[in-house]
């Protein structure tokens, strides 16, 4: 199914009945906390799964999946995924690799949060997003979809106002270049990022 930018694939609290594979596009996962604040947890791209917790249990979706751009998503019931894995073991291997990569990303993100310098934490998270989702140009890696300061505040664990100051510092130092709503992380002098 094709979803448009700003459309939800599923909402937090919806009955979880499918695991989805993103075939094209980008999806932001958010969670609404008890106090009503919505936080950004992750950004997924083509080849990533959504609702993978449905593989282990039948529960409601714990997050909302919002399309950052037009996205093509294929969804499968838990039973269908289990049958596909039994019939085609390579699918199971790909699911395992995808989940392993997600664990590595979360471990890296936690490591980034341990850095005391906010600019370093922000730069590290932006670098990871650029490597995973960015496009390569002569100047560096460009994140071509908007990331709000609020999105970034939840991705690195800092207040939005602090993100604004850190972004200004990174721009002044030349570690990031902003063109409209796009961010470019220039290549380092020693080679690639």
């Amino acid at each position: 199914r094709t979803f448009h930018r700003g459309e939800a694939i599923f909402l937090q609290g919806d009955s979880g009945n499918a695991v989805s594979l993103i075939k094209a596009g980008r999806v932001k996962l958010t969670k609404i906390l008890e106090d009503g604040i919505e936080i950004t947890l992750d950004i997924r791209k083509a080849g990533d799964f959504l609702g993978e917790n449905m593989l282990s249990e039948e529960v409601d979706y714990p997050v909302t999946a919002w399309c950052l751009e037009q996205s093509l998503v294929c969804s499968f019931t838990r039973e269908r995924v289990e049958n596909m894995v039994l019939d085609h073991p390579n699918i199971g291997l790909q699911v395992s690799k995808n989940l392993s990569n997600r664990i590595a990303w979360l471990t890296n993100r936690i490591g980034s949060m341990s850095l005391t310098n906010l600019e370093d934490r922000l730069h590290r998270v932006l670098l990871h997003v650029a490597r995973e989702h960015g496009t390569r140009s002569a100047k560096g890696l460009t994140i071509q979809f908007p990331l709000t300061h609020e999105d970034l505040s939840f991705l690195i664990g800092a207040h939005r106002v602090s993100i604004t100051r850190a972004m200004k510092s990174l721009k002044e130092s030349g570690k990031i270049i902003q063109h409209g709503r796009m961010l470019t992380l220039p290549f380092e002098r020693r080679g690639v990022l």
Side-chain angles (χ1 to χ4, degrees):
R1 180 173 165 203
T2 300
F3 293 87
H4 299 286
R5 181 179 178 193
E7 192 174 355
I9 297 169
F10 53 78
L11 298 171
Q12 179 178 334
D14 283 353
S15 177
N17 57 5
V19 177
S20 301
L21 173 65
I22 303 170
K23 296 293 289 177
R26 281 187 181 66
V27 176
K28 175 173 70 170
L29 300 180
T30 66
K31 184 168 187 70
I32 298 176
L33 304 177
E34 289 180 14
D35 58 7
I37 294 174
E38 183 176 30
I39 62 170
T40 299
L41 298 175
D42 198 4
I43 298 170
R44 305 274 172 100
K45 64 183 183 321
D48 289 339
F49 291 96
L50 301 170
E52 58 267 32
N53 56 320
M54 300 302 123
L55 293 173
S56 62
E57 56 190 52
E58 292 184 28
V59 294
D60 295 339
Y61 289 114
V63 297
T64 297
W66 297 105
C67 293
L68 291 172
E69 57 193 31
Q70 185 169 318
S71 300
L72 176 63
V73 178
C74 298
S75 298
F76 307 92
T77 64
R78 185 170 106 176
E79 181 182 353
R80 178 87 193 273
V81 171
E82 289 172 354
N83 289 333
M84 284 190 301
V85 168
L86 291 173
D87 293 341
H88 307 282
N90 284 341
I91 292 174
L93 183 60
Q94 186 58 44
V95 170
S96 294
K97 285 180 182 179
N98 190 284
L99 294 175
S100 178
N101 288 339
R102 190 63 41 209
I103 291 168
W105 181 85
L106 289 170
T107 302
N108 186 37
R109 186 169 158 196
I110 290 169
S112 294
M113 288 183 174
S114 69
L115 296 172
T116 55
N117 182 301
L118 180 61
E119 287 85 12
D120 289 343
R121 284 184 6 223
L122 178 57
H123 187 258
R124 193 170 182 180
V125 167
L126 287 171
L127 186 58
H128 179 78
V129 170
R131 284 179 178 155
E132 187 169 342
H133 300 280
T135 57
R136 187 174 286 271
S137 71
K139 293 182 180 180
L141 293 174
T142 300
I143 303 169
Q144 296 186 321
F145 55 91
L147 283 172
T148 67
H149 288 198
E150 190 170 8
D151 290 336
L152 291 169
S153 71
F154 293 115
L155 286 172
I156 70 164
H159 193 272
R160 185 176 50 83
V161 174
S162 300
I163 296 297
T164 301
R165 283 194 296 261
M167 287 290 284
K168 182 179 179 189
S169 176
L170 289 173
K171 288 177 200 173
E172 289 172 354
S173 69
K175 290 184 176 180
I176 61 171
I177 301 166
Q178 186 166 6
H179 301 286
R181 299 186 82 183
M182 295 188 300
L183 296 175
T184 299
L185 283 85
F187 293 117
E188 293 179 353
R189 293 182 193 129
R190 289 170 281 170
V192 293
L193 288 168

